Amino acid sequence: MPVPAVSRQIVFPERDVIALDTIAVPAPGPDDVLVRIRRVGICATDLHLLAGHIGNPFPLVPGHEFVGEVAAIGTRAGLDRSLSIGDRIAVEMLLPCRACAWCRSGRYNLCAHDDPSAGLPIGRQLGVNIPRTTGHGLWGGYAEYLMAPQEAIIHRLPDDLSWDAAVLVEPYAVAHRAVARAGIRPGDNVVVVGPGPVGLLTVAAARSAGAARIVVAGTRAARLEPALRFGADAVVNIREAADPIAAVRDALGGAGADAAIETAGVPSAQQDAVRLVRRGGRVVLAGACGAHAELTLHADEDLLTREIDVLPSFLSAGGFEPAIAGLARGEAPYEELVTHTLPLAEAERAFALIASRDHSVIKIALDPTR
């Protein structure tokens, strides 16, 4: 398929404004890969970006959960990456500098060149913090085309993996990183707080890691029920349970959770995660709450006297490989999560659907080919 002269893009020109625009598509440089986007998922982070809760990246082309195929490729990139036109790929949102101490240690999600306190003019996260006014402007996945630069980490996707499953690779990578941060071992009892897309994928990742019993806690019945098909042994509706902590313990056979992973992105869920884990247990906070959200805990009762480990898990570094492998094995009914697939031009409708809290919505993806 020939590359067109222009690409459609969804742009956030300013806070709370969604627009459809076009932009010129240049030929890739020697180290670049031009990606034809086939699916892009809508993430809660995108809603925070639109609301202005994450910095001031405007005008921004959002979309970091994208997958697609190689549309054109630079001469060096083709050789260095062993990629050809038409190859199916996933591109990580993080553009590591590969030189700082964090990148060299494998924690490229903490790249020093993406630290807001460093005072650099742009960030290094595709679809999140690189303004459209930078360079060619093809930095986000809510578009027909995106340019992956030399720093981009690109993964091949299996030829038989559907786009509706493949679009989950980034949130599944986030889930796998959270499970790794929690140190889930065979035989562990695990509670996942927040049955959104990342929470449901965290259930599948924890099951893959060997968890003995998994309980999902949340407040929306329509989200809790699918958790059972993704590997949960039981679910607890925190809103309906008289004593949520006791209900989770009962679901775990009377014991506290060895590990609790929070994915909801609200402080109350983070508080629940801390209080649901057993003494000496491990808590991972993986949900983004937006700027200036505050978490209140009891220093002694919640933390000190229980000597629990509380670890944040930021983004998806190191998670793409196990995520792609899990999707390829079909360990869960992944495509079931993508409840709506809309054309690119209907991004505003997609955001309205999410805001409506329609019970039928779990994950919405945009298809830029429509």
Side-chain angles (χ1 to χ4, degrees):
M1 181 185 299
V3 176
V6 298
S7 168
R8 292 183 303 152
Q9 296 178 318
I10 293 295
V11 183
F12 296 167
E14 58 184 292
R15 179 177 174 176
D16 294 328
V17 178
I18 300 174
L20 178 65
D21 202 353
T22 59
I23 193 169
V25 179
D31 299 301
D32 297 335
V33 177
L34 183 67
V35 184
R36 179 180 294 111
I37 307 297
R38 295 298 301 268
R39 292 287 191 283
V40 57
I42 295 179
C43 173
T45 297
D46 302 337
L47 278 68
H48 285 305
L49 285 165
L50 179 63
H53 295 163
I54 304 178
N56 182 25
F58 309 113
L60 177 74
V61 178
H64 59 277
E65 297 183 0
F66 61 91
V67 289
E69 54 200 10
V70 176
I73 190 165
T75 52
R76 281 198 298 265
L79 293 172
D80 294 345
R81 297 182 183 275
S82 299
L83 288 174
S84 302
I85 291 175
D87 284 347
R88 298 157 55 92
I89 57 173
V91 183
E92 297 196 27
M93 64 178 286
L94 297 161
L95 300 177
C97 74
R98 303 175 188 265
C100 72
W102 296 115
C103 286
R104 292 199 307 271
S105 69
R107 298 181 73 179
Y108 54 92
N109 56 318
L110 303 179
C111 177
H113 289 269
D114 195 41
D115 181 355
S117 66
L120 298 175
I122 64 169
R124 302 182 70 86
Q125 298 176 30
L126 296 171
V128 174
N129 61 13
I130 307 177
R132 187 191 193 219
T133 49
T134 300
H136 49 64
L138 301 173
W139 300 112
Y142 282 27
E144 292 177 301
Y145 290 88
L146 175 144
M147 192 75 76
Q150 181 180 18
E151 303 96 318
I153 302 172
I154 299 179
H155 302 266
R156 289 283 299 271
L157 293 171
D159 290 338
D160 59 352
L161 186 65
S162 73
W163 292 119
D164 284 335
V167 75
L168 299 171
V169 66
E170 195 278 342
Y172 201 12
V174 170
H176 272 284
R177 179 171 181 81
V179 166
R181 291 280 282 167
I184 303 299
R185 298 179 291 266
D188 277 350
N189 285 334
V190 178
V191 59
V192 176
V193 182
V198 173
L200 295 172
L201 291 167
T202 298
V203 173
R207 180 62 71 198
S208 180
R213 191 161 181 82
I214 303 171
V215 175
V216 177
T219 60
R220 297 172 66 180
R223 294 288 188 87
L224 288 167
E225 190 272 334
L228 299 171
R229 296 192 292 280
F230 275 76
D233 298 286
V235 298
V236 171
N237 192 316
I238 292 175
R239 187 172 290 158
E240 296 177 356
D243 184 341
I245 293 176
V248 169
R249 285 182 176 272
D250 288 346
L252 289 173
D258 298 298
I261 302 175
E262 173 276 327
T263 64
V266 292
S268 60
Q270 296 179 336
Q271 292 170 342
D272 289 337
V274 167
R275 293 161 186 165
L276 288 170
V277 75
R278 64 167 173 79
R279 299 180 75 183
R282 309 177 301 279
V283 178
V284 168
L285 307 179
C289 299
H292 310 303
E294 295 184 355
L295 173 62
T296 301
L297 296 170
H298 299 127
D300 289 352
E301 297 93 327
D302 290 336
L303 301 175
L304 180 67
T305 61
R306 298 174 64 225
E307 203 176 60
I308 62 175
D309 295 330
V310 181
L311 294 171
S313 182
F314 181 51
L315 304 178
S316 54
F320 269 71
E321 292 86 353
I324 292 170
L327 290 169
R329 291 193 297 268
E331 295 172 332
Y334 298 111
E335 291 185 18
E336 180 182 312
L337 287 190
V338 184
T339 52
H340 297 70
T341 302
L342 301 178
L344 185 67
E346 295 187 21
E348 194 162 5
R349 178 190 163 208
F351 274 60
L353 267 173
I354 295 169
S356 74
R357 295 180 70 84
D358 185 318
H359 291 321
S360 69
V361 176
I362 298 179
K363 185 75 172 177
I364 298 181
L366 299 176
D367 179 354
T369 67
R370 291 168 57 186

